[in-house]
Amino acid sequence: MVGGKRIALTTLLAVGGFIGACFCHPYADAGPRIRASSVTYRIGGTAQTALQCRPHGAGPFPAVVYFHGKIVDVEGVTGAARRGYNLDGMCEALAAEGYFVWAPIRTSGPDDVPSNYAEVSRAMDALATFPEVDDARVALMGFSRGALLALMVGLERRDLKALVLLAPAPGDGAWAQAVGEIERLTAPVLVLVEAGDQAVILDNVEMVERALKAQDKVFDVVHYTRGGGHRLFWDVGYYWKDVVAF
C-alpha cells in the first residue's frame, strides 16, 4: 500500500528506491545446493549462535535477517525441526534467491520479550561487521514471536529496506505497543497470514493493517485461504512466491 491505498506486489516492485531497484543478486540459483550452517559469533564477551546461509558468488550480498518463531525458544533448533519447523530449509531457500541469510538463535527464553529484543538488536549490530553483506540492502523477516521482534527492531532502525512479518504473535501486549508507534517505521512492510490461524494472530494483522493505512505507509497484507494456519509458515510453501516477489 502506498499513501494509504492498497497496491499489488507487482506494482510495489515498481516503486522507486530499494524495492524498485530489485532486492536480488545476479548469482541467484547458480551452482550446487546451498546448505545451512551453524555459526558462532560474539556479542561483547558472550558467544551466540546463528544459522547462516551464504549464496554462491563473491558478494557482497543483500541480506535477510530471519527471526525465528517461539517454537525454537521452547524446543531448541533440533526439537523444533523434529516437529516440522524447517528453519534450515527456509534459510537455504532465501539464499538460493541470492540473499545472505542470518538467523540468530535466541537464548533468553520464551517468556522474556524485552530480553529477546535486546538479543536480536545486538545480532543486527554483529551482522554489520560481515564483509560479505551489503549493509545498504538489509531486510528483516520474522515469524510469530520473530515477527513481533522484527517490527520492534524495524521501529528503531533507519537502515532497513523491507520488513516481512509472518503471522505476528502478541507477546503479552508488546505487539499492540509496537503498532502504536508505527509512525516511526520507514521500511516497506509485507504482512502474511492464513485464515485458519488463531483469532489473536488474525486480530494482530488487522491491527497493524489499520495502523499502516492510517499512517500512509508503504505496505501490503496478504490473507491466504488455502489452509495451513499458523504452521503454514513453518516451512517453504505456497506463500513463498509472495515473499520472493516483495
Side-chain angles (χ1 to χ4, degrees):
M1 182 173 288
V2 176
K5 298 180 180 178
R6 177 177 295 281
I7 61 172
L9 288 175
T10 51
T11 305
L12 187 57
L13 289 170
V15 176
F18 172 73
I19 293 180
C22 180
F23 190 53
C24 55
H25 193 277
Y27 293 107
D29 295 326
R33 179 181 170 182
I34 296 164
R35 297 287 183 178
S37 60
S38 179
V39 298
T40 300
Y41 66 102
R42 290 196 172 274
I43 298 176
T46 305
Q48 301 282 129
T49 61
L51 198 68
Q52 177 177 298
C53 294
R54 187 186 188 282
H56 301 295
F61 304 101
V64 174
V65 183
Y66 179 91
F67 295 160
H68 60 71
K70 186 176 178 179
I71 184 173
V72 175
D73 298 307
V74 174
E75 304 280 352
V77 174
T78 302
R82 289 196 189 104
R83 291 186 56 192
Y85 187 66
N86 191 8
L87 186 57
D88 282 21
M90 291 182 283
C91 180
E92 292 164 0
L94 285 167
E97 297 292 334
Y99 306 115
F100 183 95
V101 186
W102 173 251
I105 307 303
R106 301 187 294 273
T107 59
S108 50
D111 302 317
D112 190 345
V113 172
S115 293
N116 290 171
Y117 169 72
E119 270 194 273
V120 296
S121 294
R122 293 194 300 267
M124 294 293 296
D125 294 336
L127 180 74
T129 68
F130 292 6
E132 59 266 68
V133 169
D134 179 353
D135 59 10
R137 292 187 294 164
V138 176
L140 282 185
M141 179 175 174
F143 162 67
S144 195
R145 170 66 63 82
L148 162 62
L149 296 172
L151 179 58
M152 292 171 69
V153 171
L155 293 174
E156 297 296 334
R157 302 185 72 101
R158 299 295 176 265
D159 56 348
L160 299 174
K161 298 303 182 182
L163 291 179
V164 179
L165 310 178
L166 313 176
D172 296 324
W175 177 259
Q177 181 177 345
V179 170
E181 301 176 29
I182 209 76
E183 72 277 1
R184 298 164 54 201
L185 193 66
T186 59
V189 183
L190 173 66
V191 186
L192 307 181
V193 70
E194 205 283 320
D197 212 326
Q198 303 170 62
V200 66
I201 303 296
L202 301 177
D203 289 346
N204 284 347
V205 171
E206 181 181 355
M207 184 192 308
V208 75
E209 186 171 10
R210 288 197 308 266
L212 290 164
K213 182 176 181 180
Q215 293 293 327
D216 289 331
K217 299 296 182 180
V218 177
F219 76 99
D220 201 3
V221 177
V222 181
H223 297 261
Y224 300 107
T225 58
R226 295 170 55 188
H230 206 56
R231 291 194 178 203
L232 171 64
F233 306 106
W234 280 23
D235 203 346
V236 177
Y238 63 79
Y239 72 93
W240 200 255
K241 61 180 175 55
D242 292 326
V243 172
V244 173
F246 192 74

